[in-house]
Amino acid sequence: MKRGRTTNEANSSSSEDTPEKESKRHKIVEKKSTVVQSPDWANLLQDIILQVFQYLPLLDRAHASQVCRSWNQVFHMPDLWRCFEFELNQPATSNLRTTHPELIKQIIKRHSNHLQYVSFKVVDSSKESAEAACDILSQLVNCSLKTLGLISTARPSFMDLPKSHFISALTVVFVNSKSLSSLKIDDTPVDDPSLKVLVANNSDTLKLLKMSSCPHVSPAGILCVADQCHGLRELALNYHLLSDELLLALSSEKHVRLEHLRIDVVSENPGQTQFHTIQKSSWDAFIKHSPKVNLVMYFFLYEEEFDPFFRYEIPVTHLYFGRSVSKDVLGRVGMTCPRLVELVVCANGLRPLDEELICIAERCKYLSAVGLGECEVSCSAFVEFVKMCGGRLSQLSIMEEVLIPDQKYSLEQIHWEVSKHLGRVWFPDMMPTW
């Protein structure tokens, strides 16, 4: 007759456990301890919400922050406020989007020291909105901005402000940031003294400076920037600020190689602006120091004002003519711009540009983008131009009215011939795309 095991027998059996059983027991204990040492799920959830918030528009993010206390905490985390664009207009006179005044107050109160990448977009281009932008700038005393952009979407509203008011607000940022790397202040009343403040506080970090149409800046003011900011890689300015001294400063051994130089050559009143000539030796020194630089030139001149330009070789790579330009000038382009990559001619007149285009194709071996607006070119000359440039023409925007049929090609035939030489299907444009 069988009987159950006594307590002594059970204890005896337990004491006789094998090493394998003991090992399994330790593994179970370790597994339980691992479960106990679980990650901080609250912090993990917060990290996930932060990543989601980074992809949400500001308004959706603000609505989401009202869900609970945890989400509201995420809404105010510094990572979400390093980059911000203030959109400013006058709600009483405009239905365009604007940054809510209460949000602006919260940003200044809680996040001004987090801001690093900031732009101000004056949406309605009103003086009042520009003043609002300056008021915000003047309160960023705890900021350490890395990039700053001031943008008027239609007309330069910052120019309507009293110069002293604008300079005072901008100087607050220049003095307190210490690490500005990108500054875009086109169409503003910035002046030489304020640039000196910029250089004194940010000379080691400034890499990009865009300041076209800034009438209060002199050649000496921009030269001060070039002399001190040796890390400057991109620069945009008007032609009246360009000088031989500036090009030589950008070509010094201390200065890094410039990557992008944009020059706007603008005349508002024909015959009243005297344009100086840059020496060929200065261009040569500049291109020797920065052989891969993109030199972009926008011309908004009247025909009689082109005389100082394209008289000898210049290293321009991207060339845009915003007003009518003569056959003579375009012929000189072919002779003096061997580095040309892109050419856009908005208007020329009623004289065909056959010889000029052929010359450009022969001498500009890097040309890859062409746009022609109100011009005239015979179909045969255009086909020859494309044939000479070949497949390197990645962009070819020609209005249909530009092409003049001749004995060899009609408008119906030309797109097949051009497509053959380009290696892709091509048709003339009904409207310009630049």
Side-chain angles (χ1 to χ4, degrees):
M1 177 176 165
K2 289 185 178 181
R3 58 187 178 91
R5 294 193 307 180
T6 64
T7 302
N8 288 337
E9 288 175 330
N11 290 338
S12 173
S13 173
S14 175
S15 64
E16 293 176 0
D17 280 347
T18 64
E20 289 79 6
K21 290 182 179 180
E22 190 70 23
S23 175
K24 288 182 180 179
R25 188 180 298 114
H26 282 300
K27 288 182 179 179
I28 293 173
V29 172
E30 288 175 0
K31 188 173 182 180
K32 288 181 178 180
S33 64
T34 301
V35 174
V36 172
Q37 296 175 358
S38 61
D40 189 337
W41 289 105
N43 289 337
L44 181 59
L45 182 60
Q46 199 172 62
D47 291 341
I48 294 173
I49 297 172
L50 175 62
Q51 292 182 34
V52 173
F53 272 30
Q54 288 174 334
Y55 289 97
L56 290 178
L58 177 63
L59 186 60
D60 294 341
R61 195 188 303 168
H63 288 158
S65 71
Q66 300 174 15
V67 171
C68 63
R69 181 179 299 175
S70 177
W71 286 28
N72 186 262
Q73 290 174 347
V74 174
F75 179 72
H76 290 290
M77 291 181 72
D79 285 353
L80 292 176
W81 299 99
R82 291 197 174 100
C83 179
F84 194 83
E85 180 177 78
F86 293 92
E87 294 184 302
L88 304 170
N89 69 25
Q90 301 305 301
T93 58
S94 173
N95 293 323
L96 299 172
R97 185 169 60 180
T98 186
T99 305
H100 197 280
E102 288 302 319
L103 177 58
I104 294 175
K105 290 180 182 179
Q106 285 293 317
I107 292 172
I108 293 173
K109 180 180 178 180
R110 302 184 62 169
H111 300 295
S112 62
N113 60 326
H114 302 147
L115 295 174
Q116 294 182 8
Y117 311 94
V118 174
S119 63
F120 291 82
K121 182 183 290 184
V122 181
V123 181
D124 59 356
S125 292
S126 68
K127 178 181 178 181
E128 293 77 12
S129 297
E131 286 177 341
C134 287
D135 290 340
I136 298 171
L137 275 175
S138 64
Q139 297 180 67
L140 300 182
V141 293
N142 297 318
C143 69
S144 184
L145 297 187
K146 294 183 178 180
T147 72
L148 173 64
L150 303 180
I151 305 165
S152 295
T153 57
R155 62 185 183 85
S157 53
F158 288 102
M159 293 300 300
D160 295 335
L161 301 179
K163 179 184 166 190
S164 58
H165 179 44
F166 177 83
I167 295 299
S168 176
L170 193 62
T171 301
V172 169
V173 176
F174 288 172
V175 170
N176 290 283
S177 289
K178 307 293 185 183
S179 58
L180 268 175
S181 64
S182 174
L183 181 62
K184 300 177 182 180
I185 46 174
D186 294 337
D187 300 298
T188 64
V190 62
D191 59 7
D192 289 359
S194 58
L195 288 182
K196 290 183 178 179
V197 177
L198 167 70
V199 169
N201 292 277
N202 300 274
S203 61
D204 293 336
T205 58
L206 191 64
K207 295 181 180 179
L208 181 151
L209 177 60
K210 290 187 64 179
M211 47 177 300
S212 296
S213 302
C214 296
H216 301 294
V217 175
S218 72
I222 194 64
L223 181 59
C224 171
V225 175
D227 274 335
Q228 302 297 321
C229 300
H230 297 143
L232 197 65
R233 296 182 182 276
E234 298 186 40
L235 179 62
L237 68 164
N238 281 76
Y239 186 80
H240 78 273
L241 295 178
L242 188 67
S243 64
D244 294 287
E245 292 79 10
L246 176 61
L247 287 177
L248 294 176
L250 295 172
S251 307
S252 69
E253 292 183 2
K254 295 180 180 179
H255 206 287
V256 300
R257 290 181 174 87
L258 207 68
E259 297 173 358
H260 191 94
L261 174 61
R262 169 175 167 161
I263 303 169
D264 292 346
V265 191
V266 182
S267 171
E268 299 295 341
N269 301 304
Q272 296 186 13
T273 304
Q274 296 296 321
F275 291 98
H276 60 285
T277 300
I278 300 296
Q279 299 297 317
K280 183 178 184 301
S281 57
S282 302
W283 284 121
D284 290 344
F286 174 68
I287 204 64
K288 181 179 179 181
H289 180 73
S290 302
K292 296 182 179 180
V293 66
N294 285 319
L295 175 57
V296 183
M297 298 186 75
Y298 282 81
F299 282 88
F300 296 91
L301 302 183
Y302 296 93
E303 289 193 20
E304 61 270 20
E305 296 176 312
F306 276 99
D307 189 63
F309 303 98
F310 308 110
R311 290 298 179 184
Y312 52 77
E313 189 173 298
I314 61 172
V316 62
T317 55
H318 299 72
L319 192 53
Y320 304 89
F321 293 102
R323 293 179 182 150
S324 181
V325 57
S326 68
K327 280 172 62 71
D328 176 61
V329 171
L330 288 175
R332 283 154 41 194
V333 166
M335 302 296 292
T336 59
C337 304
R339 298 180 74 244
L340 195 62
V341 173
E342 183 173 8
L343 173 66
V344 173
V345 181
C346 290
N348 165 256
L350 300 178
R351 298 176 62 192
L353 299 176
D354 295 5
E355 298 85 357
E356 289 73 23
L357 276 184
I358 298 301
C359 178
I360 289 172
E362 287 177 342
R363 295 178 174 271
C364 303
K365 301 298 184 181
Y366 304 103
L367 189 67
S368 61
V370 175
L372 298 179
E374 297 178 13
C375 308
E376 285 192 357
V377 180
S378 71
C379 286
S380 294
F382 182 67
V383 170
E384 182 64 21
F385 168 77
V386 174
K387 181 179 178 181
M388 294 173 69
C389 293
R392 74 170 186 265
L393 281 176
S394 58
Q395 296 181 35
L396 187 60
S397 179
I398 310 295
M399 291 182 66
E400 190 176 63
E401 293 80 2
V402 169
L403 301 171
I404 307 302
D406 52 29
Q407 294 180 348
K408 196 169 182 180
Y409 297 103
S410 66
L411 289 178
E412 290 74 21
Q413 295 170 318
I414 192 170
H415 76 88
W416 293 109
E417 192 68 20
V418 171
S419 298
K420 180 178 70 175
H421 294 299
L422 288 179
R424 65 181 186 277
V425 176
W426 178 87
F427 287 93
D429 294 310
M430 300 303 294
M431 291 293 291
T433 57
W434 56 85

